[in-house]
Amino acid sequence: MTYRVCFVCTGNICRSPMAEAVFRARVAEAGLDGVVEVDSAGTGGWHEGEGADPRTVSVLEEHGYPLAHTARQFRSAWFDRLDLVIALDAGHLKALRRLAPTAEDAAKVRLLRSYDPEADHDLDVPDPYYGGRDGFEECLEMVEAASEGLLVAVRDEVEGRAA
């Protein structure tokens, strides 16, 4: 049975596709790519059908992460097929929990940086869209740091299902 994870930011062109690419790589490295499915979406549909921001693509490529991406908007109906919905900041967390049809679905929504034991009280991944390239590099660092803990949690869930 496939375990499905969806990363969600605002427009699905910067933070969430970056998290998708990094986590997909971690899943593959762990040998779970046949068991864990990773994708992303945005809380809004402003960029639906567009590719990722060129700065996102550039930073990912420079760090060895491939990305084939088309932006899309998260839909409430997706909760049924998803096991985990990862919000990139507190605003996304609130929007997704409001969108959840049931309390069980709302419980599937978590903040990405909550999986980073080094993260302080601020668990938001800042939106790099309106800034320079350094914001995209910072975003990648935060995503990579949290992806390790997220992988441990997902692996535990997958192994728990198999037992």
Side-chain angles (χ1 to χ4, degrees):
M1 187 171 191
T2 303
Y3 189 92
R4 293 177 173 87
V5 180
C6 184
F7 294 92
V8 182
C9 70
T10 305
N12 192 218
I13 60 169
C14 296
R15 292 173 285 178
S16 59
M18 188 175 285
E20 174 187 352
V22 170
F23 194 64
R24 183 176 287 123
R26 295 297 176 270
V27 165
E29 290 164 4
L32 296 172
D33 48 341
V35 185
V36 178
E37 182 181 293
V38 182
D39 63 13
S40 66
T43 56
W46 308 280
H47 298 286
E48 268 189 307
E50 296 176 18
D53 185 290
R55 297 167 293 179
T56 297
V57 174
S58 173
V59 167
L60 286 171
E61 286 177 352
E62 286 177 17
H63 290 87
Y65 298 106
L67 177 67
H69 178 74
T70 303
R72 61 197 186 133
Q73 184 175 1
F74 189 89
R75 307 282 184 229
S76 178
W78 296 358
F79 276 104
D80 281 350
R81 66 176 177 83
L82 294 170
D83 297 288
L84 196 54
V85 180
I86 302 295
L88 276 288
D89 71 26
H92 308 132
L93 180 81
K94 289 176 189 168
L96 289 162
R97 287 189 173 160
R98 277 193 306 264
L99 194 59
T102 68
E104 183 180 271
D105 290 326
K108 295 177 183 180
V109 183
R110 302 275 194 326
L111 279 169
L112 176 62
R113 292 196 69 215
S114 69
Y115 293 95
D116 180 357
E118 300 296 316
D120 291 331
H121 63 281
D122 183 5
L123 299 180
D124 287 354
V125 175
D127 188 352
Y129 185 76
Y130 293 104
R133 184 179 169 82
D134 57 332
F136 288 82
E137 291 284 352
E138 178 186 19
C139 180
L140 179 62
E141 289 172 16
M142 290 179 174
V143 166
E144 287 178 325
S147 289
E148 298 303 323
L150 176 58
L151 181 63
V152 170
V154 168
R155 185 188 325 235
D156 289 347
E157 286 289 321
V158 168
E159 290 174 356
R161 287 181 176 186

PDB file of all heavy atoms in Angstrom, residues 4 41 65 80 145:
ATOM      1  N   ARG A   4       1.286   8.268   0.913  1.00  0.00           N
ATOM      2  CA  ARG A   4       1.298   9.485   0.099  1.00  0.00           C
ATOM      3  C   ARG A   4       1.494  10.745   0.935  1.00  0.00           C
ATOM      4  O   ARG A   4       0.759  10.969   1.899  1.00  0.00           O
ATOM      5  CB  ARG A   4       0.003   9.575  -0.699  1.00  0.00           C
ATOM      6  CG  ARG A   4      -0.101   8.490  -1.755  1.00  0.00           C
ATOM      7  CD  ARG A   4      -1.430   8.534  -2.500  1.00  0.00           C
ATOM      8  NE  ARG A   4      -1.423   7.608  -3.596  1.00  0.00           N
ATOM      9  CZ  ARG A   4      -1.756   6.323  -3.482  1.00  0.00           C
ATOM     10  NH1 ARG A   4      -2.103   5.837  -2.312  1.00  0.00           N
ATOM     11  NH2 ARG A   4      -1.735   5.535  -4.547  1.00  0.00           N
ATOM     12  N   ALA A  41       1.476  20.935  -3.875  1.00  0.00           N
ATOM     13  CA  ALA A  41       0.373  21.766  -4.354  1.00  0.00           C
ATOM     14  C   ALA A  41       0.440  23.115  -3.644  1.00  0.00           C
ATOM     15  O   ALA A  41       1.249  23.311  -2.736  1.00  0.00           O
ATOM     16  CB  ALA A  41      -0.973  21.081  -4.085  1.00  0.00           C
ATOM     17  N   TYR A  65      19.299  18.078  -7.169  1.00  0.00           N
ATOM     18  CA  TYR A  65      17.910  17.633  -7.084  1.00  0.00           C
ATOM     19  C   TYR A  65      17.190  17.904  -8.405  1.00  0.00           C
ATOM     20  O   TYR A  65      16.968  19.069  -8.755  1.00  0.00           O
ATOM     21  CB  TYR A  65      17.160  18.376  -5.975  1.00  0.00           C
ATOM     22  CG  TYR A  65      17.709  18.167  -4.594  1.00  0.00           C
ATOM     23  CD1 TYR A  65      18.434  19.182  -3.963  1.00  0.00           C
ATOM     24  CD2 TYR A  65      17.495  16.977  -3.914  1.00  0.00           C
ATOM     25  CE1 TYR A  65      18.928  19.011  -2.682  1.00  0.00           C
ATOM     26  CE2 TYR A  65      17.987  16.800  -2.631  1.00  0.00           C
ATOM     27  CZ  TYR A  65      18.705  17.820  -2.017  1.00  0.00           C
ATOM     28  OH  TYR A  65      19.193  17.646  -0.759  1.00  0.00           O
ATOM     29  N   ASP A  80      -8.687  12.271   1.186  1.00  0.00           N
ATOM     30  CA  ASP A  80      -9.010  10.845   1.199  1.00  0.00           C
ATOM     31  C   ASP A  80      -7.840   9.956   0.790  1.00  0.00           C
ATOM     32  O   ASP A  80      -7.665   8.877   1.316  1.00  0.00           O
ATOM     33  CB  ASP A  80     -10.188  10.538   0.263  1.00  0.00           C
ATOM     34  CG  ASP A  80     -11.523  10.874   0.875  1.00  0.00           C
ATOM     35  OD1 ASP A  80     -11.578  11.158   2.081  1.00  0.00           O
ATOM     36  OD2 ASP A  80     -12.520  10.876   0.126  1.00  0.00           O
ATOM     37  N   ALA A 145      17.086  20.117   6.237  1.00  0.00           N
ATOM     38  CA  ALA A 145      17.185  19.802   7.666  1.00  0.00           C
ATOM     39  C   ALA A 145      15.934  19.078   8.162  1.00  0.00           C
ATOM     40  O   ALA A 145      16.026  18.103   8.918  1.00  0.00           O
ATOM     41  CB  ALA A 145      17.424  21.079   8.469  1.00  0.00           C
TER      42      ALA A 145
END
